[in-house]
Amino acid sequence: MSAAYNIAIDGPAGAGKSTIAKELAKKLGFVYVDTGAMYRAMALYFDRQGIGTDDEEEIGRACGDISISLRYEDGLQRVILNGEDVSGLIRTERVSQLASAFSVYAAVRQKLLSLQRDLAASTDVIMDGRDIGTCVLPDAQTKIYMIASVRVRALRRFRELTEKGQTCDLSEIEEEIRIRDHRDMNREIAPLKQAEDAVCLDTSDMTVAQVVDAIIAAALARGLSAERAGR
Ligand code: DC
């Protein structure tokens, strides 16, 4: 096991993983690694090339032309696709669905696996995604499986979009969440599921502060020093 302390957070779309992970990273002085952003950047590349989600051969070929890296500005992760900062371009509903659809392929997952593992080997990280506790970092000291009801997750997303001034439909958002959950949980390679040694947190009725505290408590019980946790 590496000397770095790793916290893995997995869960379905909209469960609050990134909000919590960012907050935790700030509190603990860890680096936050958002693996979904990497899958989104790859999806953006395939989409720009006009590659369809069913074209496994072309997807495999294109993987060789893609370089993904992360950069941190003011503690915030930026994702770089072949030298271009695409962080602002990958947060659309289209890219969400495409990332889910392209991420079923072995070539796509393989491409990101070593990058993710390398980041966690030497650095204290909070890494979130779908397969972090089960596949990417099976030795992570703390693993969290974060869930919330579809209704709550759709409402959170609805409020987020409405605050940005976008018009949206709650039932459509619910449907999109259901489609993505189903695909992410039922794919053959590295599907979303709770690791055996993960702590499950249902955030439906929890505040951000409560979830952050629960994760710090779990990490303290799993070898994180009290000094590190600021306790
Ligand atoms: O976390 P997110 O919504 O940004 O992720 C977008 C998609 O990427 C998600 O629906 C499935 C895929 N993904 C994955 O397969 N494995 C990960 N570790 C992270 C994301």
Side-chain angles (χ1 to χ4, degrees), residues 120-132:
S122 53
T123 312
D124 294 335
V125 295
I126 294 155
M127 189 176 284
D128 78 1
R130 302 294 186 287
D131 61 337
I132 310 305

Side-chain angles (χ1 to χ4, degrees), residues 35-36 39-40 99-100 103 109 129-132 180 184 187:
T35 64
Y39 285 98
R40 285 169 182 267
S100 173
S103 67
R109 306 205 68 81
R130 302 294 186 287
D131 61 337
I132 310 305
R180 204 137 72 93
D184 294 348
R187 66 180 174 223

Side-chain angles (χ1 to χ4, degrees), residues 202-221:
D202 185 339
T203 69
S204 303
D205 299 312
M206 290 171 86
T207 64
V208 170
Q210 285 171 332
V211 180
V212 167
D213 279 351
I215 296 177
I216 291 178
L220 283 169

